[in-house]
Amino acid sequence: MPASPLAAGDAASTSSAAGPADDDDRVFLVLHRWWREAQEGAGIDAHGVPYAAAPAGPTSYGMKVLSLLMSDHTAFTLRRADGLAAPQPQQPAQGAAAAKGGLGVAGGSGGARSYALVAADLFGKARAWHLESAKSNGKGSLLTEETSVNIYPIMLRVSVTRGTNALTVKISKKDNSVENFKRATKILAPDSEPVHIWDFSGRTTFILMNEWNRMPQDLRSSDQEMPLEIQFYDMSEPTSNGAVGKKDELALTMGSSVLSNGSIMDMDLDSSSGICKQVGSGLTGLDNLGNTCFMNSSVQCLAHTSKLVDYFLGDYHKEINPHNPLGMKGELAYSFGDLLRKLWTIDRSSFSPRQFKARLARFAPQFSGFNQHDSQELLAFLLDGLHEDLNRVKCKPYSEAKDSDGRPDEEVADEYWGNHLARNDSIIVDTCQGQYKSTLVCPLCKKVSVTFDPFMYLSLPLPSTTMRTMTITVFSTDGITGPSPYTVNVPKSGDTKTLINALSNACSLRDDERLLVAEVYNSSIIRYLEEPSEVISLIRDGDRLVAYRLPKDSEDAPIVVFKNQRMESSLSSFGRKSWKNFGAPLVSSLPGTINGHTIYNLFLQLLVPFRVSKDDIADADQINCKSSAVNGIADMDMGSGAAECASIHNNAGEDAIMTDTAMEFYLNNERFPDQHFKIEMDQVVTPGLRKRLHVIVCWQDDGLKQYNLDSLDSLPEIYKSVLFARRPQETCSLYACLEAFIKEEPLGPEDMWYCPGCKEHRQASKKLDLWRLPEILIIHLKRFSYSRYTKNKLDTFVDFPIHDLDLSKFVRDRSGQLSNHYQLYAVSNHYGSMGGGHYTAYVFHEGEKRWYDFDDRSVERVDKEDSIKTSAAYVLFYRRIQGDSSSLVTETTIESDCTS
């Protein structure tokens, strides 16, 4: 979804008659007659663009009702209507009566409902005029009392159809509360009365022109939805979630903690200390500003971390470090502290984090705009930024890490931890940071290096023993055997090396051969699977893989890749023929000296398995000959057809020999694919830097008759899914993830370690161990996998303990001073796939001793505790259990095995 400034509204407060601030970019929907009355009374000069609404779905009443019942969204079309007559302002008495009807009253002539979209500054002026008018004469305004209205936000999805002046507006239950969805549907959706909307804010013009013109050309053919939040100024109901007064802006000055077990307690008013009586439940949702669910999920988990709540509801300002060059001048801490206070001190159902997001985007541009992001990445940046803003160390001393040199682990660990605390001291370090032991061993000199590093969270892999069925087509390069598909079973979490080993056994690879595996798309090789440690989970079932059998002794020798092309008609070019790729590429190793004759002969050798017999050629030509003769008779022109048939018939008994005119060879520049250079027979050719020569073979029709290349066009997919077939849900315990995390494994070739003994970079083996654990343990489950070409999400169900996560056997520090038992109190969830999806949070409320589901602005109780365990769990938040945990009753069986 393209970024758009249209989704920058938040839930409005109706407490102040002064109107929104000058930098407020919200848009308000009001009765047109209320706006017109204020416009004339206050002399507001603004021009509105009229639109008429029409249903975008079923037109019949019965189908419309059925659609509303079956669908979770409603849609209508706004079309420019310049000839629309604006409704005139009513008399005072009529206005007061009309106000009782709220936004749904008739606002124009002919029974039409008419509204105005106005910017925040204009809305503030109009509201101020109405209030002043009501105070001065007690009448003459549609709005007589500020407390008789309600302001609530509605999130819309707006799309533009190319070449029109119309906008399609969608209202979805997913983006709004059920109550607000019903209100918006009743008010805006065209039904028995037409709906007219005048836009005085300029937002619709912005969507139609500016945003539209900036879209890439290839995206304009389909609707691109843009988020737009508008504030409904409803004069029909008492304020329920809009008028919160100055309570939103209270800066609570507390001399002692007001949080008890995660729940704010009552506070008595004390004029001398500035502490006020305020009750907060912590069950306040966060509005979605447009794909900000990832932020809302992480914030809600942190907002129910009792240590942080205690800290930010206290006098945290004295620890702000504005001069830390690694921090954000304290602005991130101020903004987060203000957001957390409002979540715990306001008494409405939701709050908009618009200011916090703006401040966040200022220091982290990657989170600007309204694209979807990763909740764990946001969490990592936020914790690190808060730490630097609140770092109590003003001048960081220099400390050099010393090698262990065989010293006791306890001594080295304390030394590393002391050096870390000398430079880093904050509430985040006190609460969220632990320490792990890292052991590196050189494979040659056996040098052992031990370091102890801090961590903010643990990123655990998801191990898997589930087998995966994969089909790969193997090509021989000896000119004897044709391509053949092989199906192998490999571990789902395996790597490229595992796949190649299984495939080598399946195709009976000889000791003097090796396999070059590649992915083919659109008759071209798009990548080679040459990295042994690359996980095969990144390969999708719909991909097509090929493997070429090459001599092992030519592992460092250059290869030639032949890509086939032929003339084909194209519908997009009105039947004109052009060169098109076809078939899978063929590969061969190259000798020392390479010229046009070498390339020609190598290609002919690869084509031997595809050669068509002379009888098949004669039969095919006889059929073509008869067809040509029939067409010749029909066209009263038999000369050319008869002559061609006679020639073919006379030569049918001879072996068809490939001629130079049957195909042409062109050298293809790998860096610039559009550049082709014809290869002459005596021309010397040199491979590129990657020792790969890319050659395009342009086939002529007479050459194609001599070979059957159909098998090159029918490569099987990795796995052909069966319709309605359901694969078993893969499950794994959290303890198995921890086992995989501490498992010893070699470093990748791109992550070599500089061995101080060898004085060279070595592919050392690495092992991690937990040494000391923090009070708040954050566990990140690595569901998302990225590579240069693909990305994937693992939907493995991780069975994690809720009441007692026992990490005793994973912690190497045996001092036993702190408990190694943890209790779950929050979960950040991700539903959906890589391309989209939605984030929510499960949070345990200490005050009510029950779980809640935080889904943006919606907060609902969780009936069954076990229901928080889903395959969507992404980030787990645990707090240390103080004291003896042996008496805890747990329902989770500790296992380190994975099942499927």
Side-chain angles (χ1 to χ4, degrees), residues 491-682:
K492 190 175 181 180
S493 61
D495 51 22
T496 302
K497 182 179 179 181
T498 306
L499 173 62
I500 293 178
N501 289 339
L503 186 60
S504 300
N505 293 330
C507 69
S508 301
L509 193 72
R510 300 194 307 269
D511 292 338
D512 61 345
E513 290 181 314
R514 66 184 177 95
L515 288 179
L516 176 64
V517 183
E519 181 180 349
V520 173
Y521 178 77
N522 193 24
S523 300
S524 301
I525 294 178
I526 61 173
R527 68 178 180 122
Y528 297 90
L529 277 67
E530 297 178 305
E531 175 53 57
S533 61
E534 182 177 357
V535 294
I536 60 175
S537 60
L538 301 178
I539 303 174
R540 298 166 297 188
D541 287 345
D543 295 339
R544 288 173 168 83
L545 292 184
V546 296
Y548 301 98
R549 304 175 70 138
L550 298 171
K552 181 177 289 186
D553 56 4
S554 65
E555 191 165 352
D556 296 329
I559 63 172
V560 57
V561 180
F562 295 99
K563 185 165 66 172
N564 300 292
Q565 289 189 354
R566 62 189 173 197
M567 293 293 291
E568 292 182 1
S569 299
S570 175
L571 294 177
S572 60
S573 58
F574 303 101
R576 291 195 297 267
K577 289 188 174 183
S578 59
W579 289 104
K580 300 291 183 182
N581 297 334
F582 76 96
L586 300 176
V587 173
S588 178
S589 57
L590 289 170
T593 304
I594 309 168
N595 56 24
H597 282 289
T598 307
I599 294 173
Y600 180 78
N601 292 330
L602 282 175
F603 189 64
L604 288 184
Q605 180 181 355
L606 294 175
L607 291 177
V608 170
F610 306 95
R611 188 70 179 266
V612 178
S613 66
K614 59 184 180 181
D615 294 334
D616 293 336
I617 296 177
D619 291 342
D621 288 335
Q622 287 287 357
I623 295 174
N624 294 333
C625 190
K626 292 179 181 179
S627 175
S628 176
V630 172
N631 292 335
I633 294 173
D635 296 336
M636 300 304 291
D637 181 10
M638 299 177 57
S640 60
E644 183 179 355
C645 286
S647 175
I648 294 174
H649 181 73
N650 293 333
N651 296 325
E654 303 177 6
D655 288 335
I657 300 176
M658 181 69 69
T659 62
D660 292 344
T661 58
M663 63 183 73
E664 293 181 343
F665 295 89
Y666 291 85
L667 189 62
N668 186 211
N669 190 327
E670 187 176 4
R671 294 182 58 188
F672 304 99
D674 293 334
Q675 293 185 3
H676 303 160
F677 305 96
K678 187 175 181 179
I679 302 176
E680 304 296 341
M681 288 299 162
D682 57 350

Side-chain angles (χ1 to χ4, degrees), residues 381-423:
F381 173 82
L382 184 55
L383 289 176
D384 187 64
L386 290 175
H387 158 65
E388 297 295 352
D389 270 1
L390 299 168
N391 198 345
R392 304 178 185 110
V393 179
K394 302 301 188 291
C395 182
K396 296 185 177 183
Y398 172 77
S399 59
E400 183 177 355
K402 300 179 182 179
D403 202 340
S404 59
D405 289 332
R407 292 182 293 162
D409 285 347
E410 291 78 8
E411 178 184 340
V412 180
D414 289 343
E415 179 181 287
Y416 270 83
W417 189 247
N419 292 339
H420 175 67
L421 293 183
R423 298 172 56 86

Side-chain angles (χ1 to χ4, degrees), residues 334-539:
Y334 277 119
S335 181
F336 179 77
D338 180 64
L339 174 62
L340 192 144
R341 289 185 176 209
K342 288 179 178 178
L343 289 178
W344 278 97
T345 59
I346 63 177
D347 61 353
R348 61 184 178 188
S349 61
S350 68
F351 176 76
S352 176
R354 182 168 56 90
Q355 293 182 351
F356 173 73
K357 183 184 184 302
R359 193 63 53 88
L360 183 71
R362 175 182 174 186
F363 295 105
Q366 65 268 31
F367 299 120
S368 61
F370 298 93
N371 294 323
Q372 184 68 276
H373 294 282
D374 190 294
S375 68
Q376 188 271 334
E377 292 180 359
L378 182 278
L379 178 69
F381 173 82
L382 184 55
L383 289 176
D384 187 64
L386 290 175
H387 158 65
E388 297 295 352
D389 270 1
L390 299 168
N391 198 345
R392 304 178 185 110
V393 179
K394 302 301 188 291
C395 182
K396 296 185 177 183
Y398 172 77
S399 59
E400 183 177 355
K402 300 179 182 179
D403 202 340
S404 59
D405 289 332
R407 292 182 293 162
D409 285 347
E410 291 78 8
E411 178 184 340
V412 180
D414 289 343
E415 179 181 287
Y416 270 83
W417 189 247
N419 292 339
H420 175 67
L421 293 183
R423 298 172 56 86
N424 303 275
D425 182 17
S426 69
I427 181 64
I428 304 299
V429 175
D430 299 341
T431 306
C432 303
Q433 284 197 356
Q435 187 182 32
Y436 63 80
K437 174 186 176 182
S438 176
T439 305
L440 292 170
V441 180
C442 177
L444 295 182
C445 71
K446 304 304 180 182
K447 167 69 176 177
V448 178
S449 175
V450 178
T451 58
F452 291 83
D453 303 306
F455 68 85
M456 193 88 74
Y457 51 86
L458 297 179
S459 289
L460 305 185
L462 303 186
S464 172
T465 58
T466 302
M467 302 301 288
R468 181 182 183 187
T469 301
M470 303 182 71
T471 300
I472 300 97
T473 304
V474 178
F475 286 80
S476 175
T477 59
D478 57 7
I480 300 175
T481 309
S484 178
Y486 290 89
T487 300
V488 296
N489 291 317
V490 293
K492 190 175 181 180
S493 61
D495 51 22
T496 302
K497 182 179 179 181
T498 306
L499 173 62
I500 293 178
N501 289 339
L503 186 60
S504 300
N505 293 330
C507 69
S508 301
L509 193 72
R510 300 194 307 269
D511 292 338
D512 61 345
E513 290 181 314
R514 66 184 177 95
L515 288 179
L516 176 64
V517 183
E519 181 180 349
V520 173
Y521 178 77
N522 193 24
S523 300
S524 301
I525 294 178
I526 61 173
R527 68 178 180 122
Y528 297 90
L529 277 67
E530 297 178 305
E531 175 53 57
S533 61
E534 182 177 357
V535 294
I536 60 175
S537 60
L538 301 178
I539 303 174

